[in-house]
Amino acid sequence: MLWLTIVLILFIFQVATILLIEFRYPEKTVAWLLILFILPIIGFVMYYFVAKEYRQRKIVRRKGFRILDEMQRAIARNQDKLDTLSEAAGYEILQQPRLLGLLFNMPGAPITKHNEIEVLSNVEAAYAEMLEAIARAKHHVHFEFYTIRDDAVGRQFRDALVRKAGEGVRVRIIYDGIGSYKLTAGYVESLKQAGAEVHCFLPPLFAFFDKRLNYRNHRKIVVVDGKVGFLGGINIGDEYLGRDPHLGYWRDTHLRLEGDSVYYLQQTFLNDWEFVSRQKLSDPLLFPEHDCPEGKPVQILPSGPDVQFDAIFEMSFGAIAAARRRIWITTPYFIPDRSIMIGLKTAAVSGVDVRILLPGVPDSRIVYYATLSYIKELMQAGVKFYMYRKGFIHSKTFLVDGLLASAGTANMDMRSFFDNFEINAVFFDKKTIDRLERDFQQDMKDSDEIVMAQFEKRSRWQRGKEVLARLLSPLF
């Protein structure tokens, strides 16, 4: 009986530890407790190495804010902070002072007004524009992606970066250790031999022993000469051109920016660069003057576990609460926390047109089944769901009335909101919002609406998989 008492005490200790550390995140707590019940000892070892709360790392947090202060001084010489939105421009968000106040008070993320925006809805065109910008680089190319493949597309970008490095352009590259785990050593070495600086963000083995394996840099950033920037959903690989036989045609949304907003893409890259390289860059040529006239307002929102403010989540929640006519969401992964669920249900019951567009062909089974587990509850409140049938949709777009539109790297899921390093752009001008609206409407034409009567015919086996996937989904 003594050994049973010892086992029980150890189990209670493990449960209590998880409850005390994860009490702020009920969904994550349930997921870890489920793993602990299935694998009593192994589960706790997994928790110890994988689930360390990143925000508790004060050194990392202080470093991030110190870099922010230093970069802000450089940026202040060039950018014009948008303290007020012009009444004459007719921005609809002026009618929502609370939401506008929230956005104005996002730490280190002012709304800037000297910007040009190009929405890239075709992956091939996005790659072409990125390669063209790289080819024109004179001073530096900053290249950061969650996934870089050693395939035809990956080698095309590698060759372009090798050429620029050979011309004396400073080429700096960051790739994520989990997202690019298949990237070959030869690929990286060829870049380094050409003079490019390459670093992995949290290599898997290092991240495991440092208890940060659960955190991933999901950003996709290209900055060329500090004047042209790209961000969005597209990584570097053949599958994004529809060459994956399972996923087929790939639909995504990427953005090309010029003007003040590029300074904040640059700032985010430099934050990440100091983290991976321990190099603090402050060359004024990283923030050159630009000739972009006063144009479209843009807000760049970086978000990640190294800061206390979940900027993309706060923006999304605030906009959902402010919606009066429509909320249109496109996301490949839909695993909302309870507050987003309540916000969407409340909006739909109040008569807001809430539509959520999801992939019909999943790239992750556990995420797909977890997503399905949320559909019935939201459909009963009036939310409409659509499954993209043309191929795989990877776009991450968010439209609320004419108030704002957002696009970038963050999915509508808890991992993107609270665990990943992400970056989104928020737009307020009618032209950009209308363009993203047209893309959404076209995607709906290429989708099938989920009908409740048909959806209810799912087998018990599938519903069981959905329940299990939902319980575990906060960890994936």
Side-chain angles (χ1 to χ4, degrees):
M1 292 300 291
L2 178 62
W3 68 272
L4 283 175
T5 303
I6 294 173
V7 169
L8 180 60
I9 291 172
L10 285 174
F11 186 76
I12 292 172
F13 170 77
Q14 294 170 28
V15 171
T17 300
I18 293 174
L19 290 173
L20 286 171
I21 294 176
E22 301 291 348
F23 71 93
R24 289 175 295 176
Y25 307 104
E27 296 89 351
K28 190 180 291 186
T29 302
V30 171
W32 279 115
L33 289 177
L34 176 62
I35 291 175
L36 186 62
F37 275 103
I38 297 172
L39 304 167
I41 302 299
I42 297 173
F44 191 73
V45 172
M46 290 172 58
Y47 176 78
Y48 178 79
F49 281 104
V50 174
K52 176 66 175 178
E53 175 57 53
Y54 201 101
R55 287 183 175 89
Q56 294 175 3
R57 299 169 181 271
K58 296 180 180 178
I59 294 175
V60 175
R61 187 169 68 246
R62 284 199 299 268
K63 182 184 71 175
F65 282 112
R66 189 183 71 247
I67 295 172
L68 177 62
D69 291 340
E70 292 170 355
M71 293 303 103
Q72 283 286 79
R73 286 195 289 271
I75 293 170
R77 296 193 300 269
N78 301 286
Q79 70 92 29
D80 183 1
K81 183 176 179 180
L82 183 58
D83 293 316
T84 57
L85 288 164
S86 171
E87 293 281 355
Y91 296 115
E92 191 172 314
I93 198 168
L94 289 169
Q95 302 169 19
Q96 294 290 340
R98 287 184 61 189
L99 176 59
L100 187 59
L102 170 69
L103 297 174
F104 272 143
N105 286 289
M106 291 287 186
I111 301 173
T112 59
K113 64 181 177 182
H114 295 283
N115 298 287
E116 290 299 328
I117 306 161
E118 182 180 4
V119 178
L120 302 168
S121 303
N122 177 278
V123 176
E124 190 171 356
Y127 280 159
E129 293 228 18
M130 283 190 275
L131 287 166
E132 181 182 358
I134 291 170
R136 292 181 177 179
K138 301 298 183 185
H139 182 260
H140 66 270
V141 177
H142 290 164
F143 195 81
E144 177 176 1
F145 283 89
Y146 176 65
T147 300
I148 301 176
R149 306 279 192 206
D150 186 358
D151 54 20
V153 168
R155 289 189 285 274
Q156 187 178 13
F157 276 91
R158 179 200 62 190
D159 293 345
L161 294 168
V162 164
R163 281 194 297 272
K164 297 316 293 185
E167 295 171 8
V169 173
R170 299 301 299 268
V171 177
R172 301 180 178 96
I173 301 167
I174 302 173
Y175 64 93
D176 184 75
I178 299 295
S180 300
Y181 73 97
K182 292 183 179 180
L183 190 62
T184 64
Y187 185 101
V188 174
E189 189 59 31
S190 64
L191 286 161
K192 290 181 177 179
Q193 288 180 355
E197 299 175 77
V198 186
H199 288 278
C200 179
F201 194 98
L202 293 178
L205 187 60
F206 170 80
F208 177 78
F209 286 105
D210 197 36
K211 295 172 284 188
R212 291 184 289 189
L213 190 62
N214 197 42
Y215 300 101
R216 301 162 197 175
N217 190 324
H218 198 238
R219 293 169 180 156
K220 297 96 177 165
I221 297 173
V222 177
V223 177
V224 177
D225 292 342
K227 292 186 176 182
V228 178
F230 296 85
L231 78 156
I234 301 173
N235 284 294
I236 305 300
D238 284 354
E239 67 263 39
Y240 294 84
L241 290 178
R243 296 173 185 171
D244 185 307
H246 170 66
L247 298 175
Y249 173 77
W250 190 286
R251 166 74 178 91
D252 220 319
T253 299
H254 220 67
L255 306 161
R256 183 185 188 276
L257 302 175
E258 292 186 51
D260 294 343
S261 57
V262 178
Y263 295 142
Y264 288 87
L265 286 181
Q266 183 81 290
Q267 176 180 286
T268 302
F269 178 90
L270 294 176
N271 266 1
D272 292 344
W273 184 255
E274 181 170 358
F275 179 78
V276 297
S277 71
R278 302 297 185 263
Q279 299 172 10
K280 183 167 60 177
L281 304 178
S282 56
D283 185 346
L285 291 178
L286 296 172
F287 299 93
E289 293 186 11
H290 62 75
D291 55 4
C292 190
E294 182 173 340
K296 302 177 179 68
V298 176
Q299 184 173 34
I300 300 296
L301 287 183
S303 184
D306 57 336
V307 293
Q308 294 291 345
F309 200 78
D310 300 306
I312 296 174
F313 169 77
E314 297 287 351
M315 177 274 296
S316 302
F317 181 82
I320 289 171
R324 295 295 178 267
R325 299 191 307 276
R326 71 174 184 197
I327 300 170
W328 290 358
I329 298 169
T330 306
T331 180
Y333 312 126
F334 181 71
I335 304 176
D337 80 331
R338 198 62 191 165
S339 59
I340 295 292
M341 281 282 289
I342 293 172
L344 292 172
K345 288 171 62 177
T346 302
V349 170
S350 302
V352 176
D353 177 19
V354 183
R355 306 183 191 187
I356 301 174
L357 206 156
L358 305 167
V361 178
D363 68 335
S364 170
R365 283 289 172 184
I366 189 167
V367 175
Y368 176 71
Y369 286 128
T371 294
L372 293 180
S373 74
Y374 292 94
I375 288 179
K376 181 178 178 179
E377 182 180 350
L378 287 167
M379 286 181 65
Q380 289 174 332
V383 177
K384 297 178 181 178
F385 284 88
Y386 300 83
M387 290 289 192
Y388 192 72
R389 65 172 181 272
K390 191 175 178 180
F392 181 69
I393 192 161
H394 193 248
S395 295
K396 304 119 179 1
T397 61
F398 177 63
L399 294 93
V400 177
D401 298 343
L403 297 174
L404 59 80
S406 175
T409 70
N411 300 301
M412 189 63 66
D413 69 352
M414 287 181 278
R415 167 164 289 283
S416 286
F417 285 148
F418 306 121
D419 290 338
N420 285 349
F421 296 82
E422 305 278 4
I423 187 164
N424 272 25
V426 184
F427 308 109
F428 308 92
D429 67 289
K430 188 176 187 303
K431 183 177 179 181
T432 304
I433 293 174
D434 286 349
R435 166 58 197 276
L436 290 169
E437 177 184 340
R438 291 195 300 272
D439 285 350
F440 187 91
Q441 290 172 331
Q442 180 58 53
D443 291 336
M444 277 203 308
K445 292 178 182 178
D446 295 324
S447 304
D448 296 313
E449 185 175 357
I450 298 177
V451 179
M452 179 67 82
Q454 188 67 31
F455 187 71
E456 288 281 62
K457 294 180 181 179
R458 298 175 344 277
S459 67
R460 290 183 179 179
W461 171 241
Q462 177 167 323
R463 296 184 192 202
K465 289 189 287 187
E466 291 171 10
V467 171
L468 181 60
R470 179 164 175 170
L471 289 172
L472 295 174
S473 61
L475 309 182
F476 291 89

